[in-house]
C-alpha cells in the first residue's frame, strides 16, 4: 500500500487507477451505486473518446505531416554518405584497377536472390578471410581515399539472410538460390564466389 | 539496383534489413512510412511545427548512420522513437519557454501542477446524466474538445506526456514504451496513470 500513498483516492476510497483498470468492462456492483466511481468512469470514458478523435484527426491531417523538403534533406545526407565500405577488384587494366564496392555487390546479390519467387533477401555481408590492405588499389580508385581495404577477389565469401515464403520447399529453394546468386554475380562481375552462406531468418505467409 | 519486388509488397523487417545494408530505396520507404508518426509525436511534445520537422530530420539522419549497427531489424522502430523522444527532451531543455518545469521531465510527482488537490477535484466531478456508458455526450467529439485536450496536454510534464502519447496515440505496449524511454515498465505505468489523471481532470470542463 505504501507505493500507492501518493495517489489521489476517490471519495469512496478507491484509486482512480482501479477504476481505469476495468474501464472497458460494465460497471461493477459498487460502481453502479457509487457516485464517485461513476463520475470517474465518465471522465475517463470522455478522455478516451476525445483521445481517439484527436489521434484519428491528427493522422489524417495534412497539416500534421512534415513538408516534402524534410525527406529530401534527409535523403540528400543519406546519398552523400552512402557507405562504400570495402572494395573488391574485378580487373586490372593498364590504367588501373576496376573494382566494385561491397555495397554495390550486396545490392546485386539481393537483386539476384529476389528474382526467385518466395525469396526476400535481407542483409548481405561479404566476408573476407584474407582482406588485403592494399594502398595501390585505393590509388587506382576514383575518390579512393576511403578505400583502405580490398577483398581478395579469389576468395569472396558472402552471408545472405533471407525470409522465405512458407509455401516454398526450403532445401530445394536454398539450392536454387545459391545457384542463382552465384550465376548472376559471375555474369555481372566475373567474380566466382567461394562460399555462399544463406541464413533463413524468417518465414512469411503469402 | 532495382529490386524484383516492390518494397510495398515486402514485410517491414525485410525493408529494415535492406536499409541496414545501405539500400537507399529501402531507407526512403522507411522515411515515408514513419516520418508522420515521428512528426506527430514531436509536434505534440513541442507544440511547434518547424521544431517538429527538425526532430524528424535529425532523427532519420541519425537512423541512417546507426542502422548498420542495429542488432536486429525488430529494434528499428523502438530505436527511432527513442531517438526522437531524446531529441524532443533536448529541445525542451534548450527552450525554457515551456510552462512545465524542466526538472519535472522524468517525474511529475514533485512538479505536477495541482497534484495535491487532484483527489479533491475528482470528488467534485459532476455526475453525468444517465449511465456513463450510455451517455452520448461522452462519444460526441467536437473540434473544441480536441483542441482542449491538446492544450491540457501541454500542461502535463514532458516525462509523463511522452509516455501517455506513446500509449494513447501511438499504440505502443508498456514494454515497448519502457524500451523507448529507457525506464522500468513500472515507472512507465505510473507515468501514464498520472498523465491520464491530469488529462481527465483538465478535460472536466469540456464534458
Amino acid at each position: 500500500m505504501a507505493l500507492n500513498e501518493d495517489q489521489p483516492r476517490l471519495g469512496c476510497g478507491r484509486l482512480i487507477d482501479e477504476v481505469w483498470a476495468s474501464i472497458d468492462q460494465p460497471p461493477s456492483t459498487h460502481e453502479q451505486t457509487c457516485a464517485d466511481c461513476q463520475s470517474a468512469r465518465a471522465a475517463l470514458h470522455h478522455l478516451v473518446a476525445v483521445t481517439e478523435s484527436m489521434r484519428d484527426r491528427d493522422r489524417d491531417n495534412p497539416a500534421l505531416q512534415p513538408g516534402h523538403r524534410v525527406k529530401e534533406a534527409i535523403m540528400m545526407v543519406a546519398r552523400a554518405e552512402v557507405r562504400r565500405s570495402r572494395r573488391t577488384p574485378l580487373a586490372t587494366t593498364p590504367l588501373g584497377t576496376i573494382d566494385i564496392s561491397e555495397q554495390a555487390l550486396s545490392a546485386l546479390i539481393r537483386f539476384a536472390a529476389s528474382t526467385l519467387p518466395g525469396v526476400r533477401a535481407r542483409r548481405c555481408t561479404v566476408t573476407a578471410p584474407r582482406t588485403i590492405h592494399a594502398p595501390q588499389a585505393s590509388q587506382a580508385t576514383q575518390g579512393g581515399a576511403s578505400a583502405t581495404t580490398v577483398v581478395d577477389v579469389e576468395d569472396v565469401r558472402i552471408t545472405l539472410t533471407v525470409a522465405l515464403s512458407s509455401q516454398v520447399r526450403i532445401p530445394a529453394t536454398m539450392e536454387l538460390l545459391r545457384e542463382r546468386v552465384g550465376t548472376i554475380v559471375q555474369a555481372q562481375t566475373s567474380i566466382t564466389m567461394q562460399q555462399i552462406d544463406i541464413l533463413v531468418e524468417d518465414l512469411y505467409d503469402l | 539496383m532495382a529490386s524484383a519486388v516492390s518494397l510495398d509488397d515486402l514485410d517491414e523487417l525485410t525493408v529494415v534489413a535492406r536499409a541496414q545494408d545501405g539500400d537507399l530505396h529501402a531507407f526512403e520507404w522507411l522515411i515515408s512510412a514513419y516520418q508522420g508518426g515521428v512528426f506527430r509525436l514531436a509536434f505534440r511534445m513541442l507544440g511547434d511545427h518547424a521544431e517538429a520537422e527538425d526532430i524528424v530530420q535529425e532523427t532519420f539522419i541519425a537512423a541512417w548512420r546507426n542502422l548498420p549497427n542495429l542488432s536486429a531489424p525488430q529494434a528499428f522502430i523502438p530505436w527511432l522513437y527513442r531517438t526522437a523522444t531524446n531529441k524532443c527532451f533536448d529541445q525542451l531543455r534548450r527552450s525554457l519557454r515551456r510552462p512545465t518545469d524542466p526538472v519535472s521531465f522524468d517525474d511529475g510527482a514533485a512538479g505536477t501542477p495541482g497534484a495535491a488537490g487532484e483527489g479533491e477535484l475528482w470528488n467534485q466531478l459532476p455526475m453525468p446524466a444517465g449511465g456513463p456508458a450510455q451517455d452520448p455526450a461522452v462519444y460526441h467529439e467536437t473540434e473544441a474538445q480536441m483542441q482542449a485536450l491538446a492544450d491540457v496536454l501541454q500542461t502535463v510534464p514532458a516525462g509523463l506526456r511522452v509516455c501517455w502519447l506513446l500509449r494513447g496515440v501511438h499504440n505502443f505496449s508498456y514494454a515497448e514504451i519502457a524500451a523507448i524511454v529507457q525506464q522500468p515498465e513500472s515507472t512507465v505505468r505510473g507515468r501514464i496513470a498520472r498523465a491520464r489523471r491530469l488529462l481527465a481532470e483538465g478535460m472536466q470542463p469540456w464534458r
Side-chain angles (χ1 to χ4, degrees):
Chain A
M1 284 308 281
L3 281 174
N4 293 328
E5 272 171 9
D6 62 332
Q7 293 198 25
R9 287 182 184 275
L10 300 174
C12 63
R14 290 182 82 205
L15 292 169
I16 293 155
D17 290 346
E18 291 171 355
V19 179
W20 174 261
S22 60
I23 194 76
D24 291 333
Q25 293 158 26
S28 65
T29 316
H30 167 78
E31 285 168 343
Q32 281 172 8
T33 54
C34 173
D36 297 321
C37 284
Q38 284 178 6
S39 176
R41 275 178 68 92
L44 291 170
H45 272 299
H46 178 247
L47 176 62
V48 169
V50 180
T51 302
E52 284 174 0
S53 302
M54 188 177 86
R55 182 182 61 210
D56 295 346
R57 188 70 64 93
D58 280 4
R59 194 180 46 219
D60 300 333
N61 184 352
L64 287 186
Q65 289 281 339
H68 294 299
R69 58 174 183 78
V70 174
K71 186 159 100 173
E72 284 164 19
I74 299 163
M75 288 306 293
M76 200 181 295
V77 172
R79 282 189 205 98
E81 294 182 2
V82 163
R83 296 176 289 279
R84 293 292 175 193
S85 60
R86 295 172 301 179
R87 310 188 71 82
T88 304
L90 299 179
T92 304
T93 72
L95 294 174
T97 307
I98 298 170
D99 57 21
I100 183 170
S101 72
E102 187 175 323
Q103 211 251 346
L105 185 58
S106 296
L108 177 64
I109 291 165
R110 282 197 303 271
F111 167 78
S114 298
T115 60
L116 273 185
V119 176
R120 291 176 181 174
R122 288 189 173 177
R123 297 199 78 172
C124 176
T125 49
V126 178
T127 50
R130 289 189 289 144
T131 297
I132 305 164
H133 292 266
Q136 73 276 12
S138 58
Q139 281 166 11
T141 308
Q142 289 290 322
S146 61
T148 52
T149 61
V150 295
V151 175
D152 182 356
V153 72
E154 299 300 325
D155 196 16
V156 175
R157 302 166 186 223
I158 64 146
T159 303
L160 176 68
T161 60
V162 295
L164 293 184
S165 160
S166 55
Q167 307 291 313
V168 303
R169 288 180 53 239
I170 293 177
T173 304
M174 300 282 272
E175 199 47 50
L176 262 177
L177 182 54
R178 218 171 259 118
E179 195 184 303
R180 179 73 57 96
V181 168
T183 305
I184 291 184
V185 169
Q186 225 283 329
Q188 297 285 322
T189 69
S190 77
I191 293 174
T192 305
M193 289 187 286
Q194 293 300 305
Q195 192 173 322
I196 302 173
D197 288 333
I198 296 172
L199 299 175
V200 180
E201 189 176 72
D202 217 346
L203 295 176
Y204 64 88
D205 293 318
L206 280 178
Chain B
M1 180 64 62
S3 175
V5 181
S6 161
L7 290 170
D8 286 333
D9 296 329
L10 294 178
D11 57 298
E12 188 176 282
L13 294 180
T14 296
V15 178
V16 173
R18 291 184 185 186
Q20 286 190 275
D21 265 8
D23 183 326
L24 285 164
H25 290 111
F27 182 60
E28 191 166 10
W29 187 94
L30 290 174
I31 299 173
S32 299
Y34 288 103
Q35 64 173 354
V38 171
F39 175 86
R40 287 189 293 277
L41 177 69
F43 180 75
R44 290 298 177 203
M45 285 303 291
L46 304 172
D48 185 278
H49 198 280
E51 285 180 1
E53 283 190 330
D54 288 346
I55 298 290
V56 172
Q57 187 167 326
E58 290 171 20
T59 298
F60 278 95
I61 288 172
W64 173 252
R65 291 171 181 166
N66 284 282
L67 266 166
N69 308 321
L70 209 62
S71 56
Q74 288 88 338
F76 176 65
I77 303 307
W79 184 94
L80 194 67
Y81 276 85
R82 183 164 77 236
T83 303
T85 298
N86 288 340
K87 288 184 185 300
C88 285
F89 281 173
D90 290 344
Q91 179 61 34
L92 286 170
R93 285 189 191 98
R94 272 198 298 271
S95 58
L96 298 170
R97 55 185 163 72
R98 300 288 156 192
T100 34
D101 178 358
V103 299
S104 68
F105 274 1
D106 296 331
D107 193 331
T112 303
E118 220 177 307
E120 287 169 33
L121 269 165
W122 271 90
N123 294 328
Q124 292 163 9
L125 295 181
M127 274 281 292
Q134 287 77 44
D135 186 355
V138 172
Y139 296 101
H140 190 70
E141 302 112 14
T142 64
E143 208 52 64
Q145 284 188 328
M146 283 184 268
Q147 188 54 51
L149 177 59
D151 292 344
V152 175
L153 194 55
Q154 289 299 317
T155 69
V156 174
L160 276 58
R161 185 159 80 236
V162 74
C163 290
W164 182 85
L165 282 168
L166 289 168
R167 181 80 198 105
V169 176
H170 297 269
N171 287 329
F172 285 105
S173 69
Y174 288 111
E176 287 168 331
I177 297 168
I180 290 170
V181 301
Q182 295 182 289
Q183 295 286 334
E185 206 175 309
S186 56
T187 304
V188 167
R189 284 180 184 274
R191 287 185 185 179
I192 291 171
R194 285 208 298 280
R196 190 185 295 128
R197 285 199 297 273
L198 291 171
L199 290 170
E201 180 194 312
M203 287 299 288
Q204 190 211 329
W206 295 91
R207 284 207 291 136

